[in-house]
Amino acid sequence: MLGVTKAAGIATAWDRYKAQQPQCGFGSTGLCCRICLQGPCRIDPFGNGPQYGVCGADRDTIVARHLVRMMAAGTAAHSEHGRHIALALLHVGEHKLHDYAVHDDEKLHAVAARLGVATEGREQSDIIHELAEVTLGDYQNQDYDKPCHWISSSLPAPRLKKLSDLGLLPHNIDAMVAQSMSRTHMGCDAEPENLILGGLRVALADLNGEMLATELSDVLFGTPKPVASVANLGVLKRNAVNVAVNGHNPLLSEIICNVAADLHDEAVAAGAPEGINIVGVCCTGNELMMRHGVPLATNYLSQELPIATGALEAMIVDVQCVMPSLPRIAACFHTKIITTDNQNKITGATHIEFEEERASEIARQILRVAIDNFKRRDPKRIDIPDEKQEAIVGFSTEGIVAALATVDAADPLKPMVDNIVSGAIQGVVLFAGCNNAKIQQDHNYLTMAKSLAKRNVLVVATGCASGAFAKGGMMTSAATDQYCGEGLRGVLTAIGEAAGLGGPLPPVLHMGACVDNSRAVALVTALANKLGVDISDLPVVASAPEAMSEKAMAIGTWSVAIGLPTHLGTVPPVVGSDVVTGLITDAAKAQLGGYFIVEPDPEKAADSLFDAIQERRAGLGLSTAPRRPALSPTYRFAPSRPAPALLPS
Ligand code: SF4
Ligand code: SF4
């Protein structure tokens, strides 16, 4: 496809990345401050030039403030998504939304019980209404001593105690975002330790927002179960009206899927014998893929390429990770880019405002734009690559537990725990996060997962990581035979066969969109509770090897806060401050158990994560594989002051 764009003189993300070189060293290290109009102020990383901004802020303050602002922005994005879903649920409970209904009553009851909402003898609409109000309370509570409902009802008791003792449990998502912006204003919080504590708190608010967004989406649209799907650009069809849904929020894309069949005949009449073909991009794609098996065209970095096939009638976008370049590229073809959210418009796109009250009507209107656009296709420009890969997806926590229950119905987690204890499974890694133009797309994911699976580490994935693994063939039974070590292969084969899959479970379990990282938290919480330990004791690690977005910084930070060694394959803008680097690595490890590992080389990163797993196994008294000598940290300038701690001991 890149040959097509090149021949047509169309710049893609890769071309624009090249045009940005060399990128600014001050910005890359976090040493540029633009927080007030006296700036931008830049700190000389080598100590020869200015060491203070105009206001007197030093490198540590500047780096910490900007890092916290990234976390706050990520939290805002996830929690707006969550608020949107919670409000939709509230309005379903009030009988205001006729195109939505509860699709998983069992989950509704389970979630309600966890959050203290009575269910016995009550109408479903009353339960929904109260659950939505309790959830929205996490955006409204003004009592600092009352932590948010979702996080405080979800994490293991030892972790909650630790976070509470450190004063890190958020009481109100919106307040955490506002405080983060307030404390990082010019002339406010200037102590890096205190700033990073604030960052941890807002990142935990992000986790709360993710939890509620995911679980309430399951209530409304169904909890994913394993389902077969396909991924890569070859999912587009020459003889169909092709419609891609791109973004994150399932409220629109679910309805688009619901009504597409109704318009089949209109698409056929327009000249497309196969009707309408809905495909996913990015995390909207993951939402639909794991609930319904809808094919995934691609993940974040290559979202422009479906347009270049000349066979895409419309791309419908909602929120987050949508490239503003899409209408420019679409203008070179016949594709319509349709924005749907009034806070997320793009110059050059067609805007059709989505309203849940008229969801089906608007979804039909949007699809008719695509059908009408079919006639503008230029058959000579159609070039759909013959690339598509089968994938088994849909491993929600409930999906994984159900698969395990086929081995031990009375105690589903036992087979997993027993195999971790025996060493057949050395540990678990969560791959999350994005693509980044600085890295060959999907390369780090595939390299690391193959390296870890060979060493018997079970892989779960969310977000654009899931897209990478689906396209890369790591969500098939064949991949288990090809890439897993003997112990892991045996376990996945036994479970897959017991679950009736006719072969092993794949080596990478698709847990959903990037907002669904909370599913992985539910899994590790269940494991920790089963073993009677804290999350920071488990041989579980996380990695965002191609991290890009501010959301990834929020996710990575709460991952550290709940006790996970967390790898980043892109270097965050913190290395200009030895103090901040020390806080999120060594100090975090000492006080939270979780810590950041920054390593761009995927082979070395896999080694570091395997070492972290071994350290945890040793801590639990389990058998360990040989470990390598500790590596010295790579990304550090000379210390500006003695090593800090998050809180005085
Ligand atoms: S807040 Fe301070 S360091 Fe930042 S731009 Fe303003 S004067 Fe410069
Ligand atoms: S994983 Fe990252 S790039 Fe992909 S959709 Fe989520 S935030 Fe965007």
Side-chain angles (χ1 to χ4, degrees):
M1 276 294 98
L2 290 177
V4 172
T5 54
K6 195 166 180 193
I10 297 167
T12 63
W14 290 278
D15 301 306
R16 296 191 296 273
Y17 174 68
K18 210 165 153 193
Q20 284 292 332
Q21 302 311 307
Q23 287 177 306
C24 172
F26 292 100
S28 303
T29 52
L31 291 174
C32 168
C33 183
R34 292 190 302 116
I35 280 177
C36 89
L37 301 182
Q38 297 176 100
C41 298
R42 307 191 306 183
I43 306 300
D44 183 333
F46 303 107
N48 301 322
Q51 293 301 297
Y52 301 99
V54 174
C55 68
D58 65 10
R59 62 173 64 202
D60 305 320
T61 300
I62 289 172
V63 167
R65 281 181 180 169
H66 286 77
L67 185 63
V68 171
R69 285 193 165 205
M70 289 184 85
M71 295 169 194
T75 303
H78 278 141
S79 57
E80 272 306 288
H81 175 160
R83 188 198 323 262
H84 204 157
I85 305 278
L87 284 170
L89 190 74
L90 182 77
H91 297 149
V92 170
E94 291 169 347
H95 307 288
K96 289 181 181 162
L97 301 184
H98 304 295
D99 295 330
Y100 298 88
V102 167
H103 279 83
D104 191 340
D105 193 54
E106 195 181 332
K107 181 118 189 194
L108 171 65
H109 280 74
V111 166
R114 207 167 81 218
L115 273 83
V117 174
T119 55
E120 194 67 36
R122 296 182 79 187
E123 293 286 325
Q124 190 188 63
S125 57
D126 292 340
I127 301 171
I128 295 173
H129 198 267
E130 189 180 336
L131 177 60
E133 287 198 321
V134 168
T135 298
L136 290 166
D138 281 358
Y139 294 83
Q140 291 152 0
N141 169 42
Q142 301 303 323
D143 182 348
Y144 280 71
D145 295 329
K146 267 178 55 187
C148 289
H149 292 92
W150 282 80
I151 197 166
S152 56
S153 63
S154 301
L155 293 180
R159 183 56 25 178
L160 283 172
K161 180 168 184 330
K162 182 172 279 290
L163 295 175
S164 175
D165 290 349
L166 288 166
L168 294 182
L169 284 177
H171 71 291
N172 173 326
I173 299 171
D174 286 348
M176 290 299 98
V177 174
Q179 276 183 14
S180 299
M181 296 308 289
S182 158
R183 74 192 307 152
T184 56
H185 186 273
M186 185 269 161
C188 292
D189 201 354
E191 186 187 77
E193 291 84 348
N194 205 40
L195 280 158
I196 295 303
L197 284 170
L200 287 161
R201 207 175 291 128
V202 75
L204 286 162
D206 178 83
L207 173 57
N208 198 81
E210 287 189 50
M211 283 174 171
L212 66 91
T214 294
E215 305 232 30
L216 298 185
S217 294
D218 284 354
V219 169
L220 282 175
F221 305 119
T223 304
K225 299 185 182 75
V227 60
S229 188
V230 228
N232 219 335
L233 290 174
V235 302
L236 294 167
K237 294 181 179 172
R238 179 174 279 271
N239 295 321
V241 172
N242 289 304
V243 177
V245 284
N246 181 6
H248 283 74
N249 193 330
L251 283 169
L252 167 62
S253 52
E254 284 280 338
I255 305 294
I256 291 277
C257 284
N258 288 351
V259 303
D262 302 346
L263 302 188
H264 175 84
D265 292 348
E266 291 182 34
V268 173
E274 292 189 53
I276 299 173
N277 179 37
I278 307 285
V279 300
V281 174
C282 244
C283 280
T284 296
N286 280 315
E287 296 271 1
L288 291 180
M289 190 188 206
M290 77 179 305
R291 287 203 177 87
H292 309 294
V294 169
L296 183 80
T298 196
N299 46 355
Y300 164 74
L301 190 56
S302 44
Q303 64 182 270
E304 298 162 315
L305 299 188
I307 300 169
T309 63
L312 186 67
E313 274 56 58
M315 185 179 283
I316 306 164
V317 305
D318 50 58
V319 298
Q320 301 169 22
C321 303
V322 176
M323 289 187 183
S325 60
L326 293 175
R328 277 197 303 276
I329 306 226
C332 305
F333 296 86
H334 76 299
T335 309
K336 296 260 188 204
I337 305 298
I338 301 172
T339 52
T340 56
D341 184 297
N342 68 5
Q343 294 169 36
N344 293 265
K345 295 185 176 180
I346 307 175
T347 304
T350 302
H351 186 73
I352 302 178
E353 186 85 16
F354 182 64
E355 298 160 37
E356 285 87 28
E357 293 78 5
R358 299 192 298 123
S360 295
E361 180 191 333
I362 294 170
R364 282 195 195 93
Q365 180 190 349
I366 290 171
L367 286 176
R368 287 193 172 113
V369 170
I371 293 170
D372 186 54
N373 201 28
F374 185 78
K375 62 176 181 286
R376 292 180 60 236
R377 253 194 204 184
D378 179 350
K380 294 193 291 298
R381 296 188 76 188
I382 296 176
D383 186 355
I384 303 173
D386 192 22
E387 298 282 332
K388 61 181 167 184
Q389 174 63 56
E390 290 178 358
I392 307 168
V393 301
F395 289 93
S396 57
T397 313
E398 291 86 343
I400 293 174
V401 171
L404 291 167
T406 60
V407 178
D408 188 336
D411 191 356
L413 285 178
K414 188 168 182 296
M416 191 158 180
V417 168
D418 285 351
N419 282 294
I420 289 173
V421 169
S422 75
I425 299 176
Q426 287 286 309
V428 181
V429 57
L430 163 66
F431 279 106
C434 326
N435 295 136
N436 187 317
K438 295 176 175 174
I439 296 164
Q440 183 189 336
Q441 187 177 8
D442 303 338
H443 172 75
N444 284 6
Y445 288 114
L446 297 172
T447 306
M448 290 179 69
K450 287 173 187 172
S451 172
L452 288 165
K454 191 169 70 189
R455 289 181 266 183
N456 298 309
V457 176
L458 177 66
V459 180
V460 299
T462 60
C464 287
S466 295
F469 292 126
K471 288 186 295 169
M474 294 294 285
M475 291 179 171
T476 62
S477 295
T480 301
D481 290 331
Q482 191 173 353
Y483 297 113
C484 292
E486 196 183 335
L488 181 62
R489 187 166 61 239
V491 177
L492 294 174
T493 303
I495 298 171
E497 284 176 359
L501 290 180
L505 286 184
V508 179
L509 303 180
H510 183 306
M511 289 199 105
C514 48
V515 77
D516 294 335
N517 286 302
S518 51
R519 296 190 196 280
V521 177
L523 181 66
V524 296
T525 296
L527 284 174
N529 288 341
K530 172 93 184 147
L531 286 164
V533 299
D534 194 356
I535 293 173
S536 56
D537 299 316
L538 293 173
V540 178
V541 295
S543 173
E546 301 179 21
M548 173 276 295
S549 78
E550 290 163 314
K551 290 179 294 171
M553 283 314 300
I555 294 166
T557 305
W558 64 245
S559 173
V560 165
I562 66 168
L564 298 178
T566 301
H567 164 247
L568 294 176
T570 32
V571 183
V574 300
V575 296
S577 167
D578 188 69
V579 169
V580 173
T581 309
L583 284 169
I584 63 173
T585 53
D586 302 339
K589 185 174 185 181
Q591 288 185 276
L592 295 162
Y595 53 96
F596 277 110
I597 300 165
V598 178
E599 177 52 72
D601 181 309
E603 293 285 1
K604 286 186 191 164
D607 288 346
S608 295
L609 289 178
F610 192 69
D611 284 353
I613 285 171
Q614 296 311 312
E615 188 175 77
R616 298 288 175 94
R617 290 186 64 85
L620 287 170
L622 304 178
S623 62
T624 56
R627 296 177 52 204
R628 299 164 308 122
L631 295 173
S632 56
T634 322
Y635 289 97
R636 302 261 176 114
F637 289 107
S640 53
R641 63 177 161 90
L646 282 168
L647 284 178
S649 52

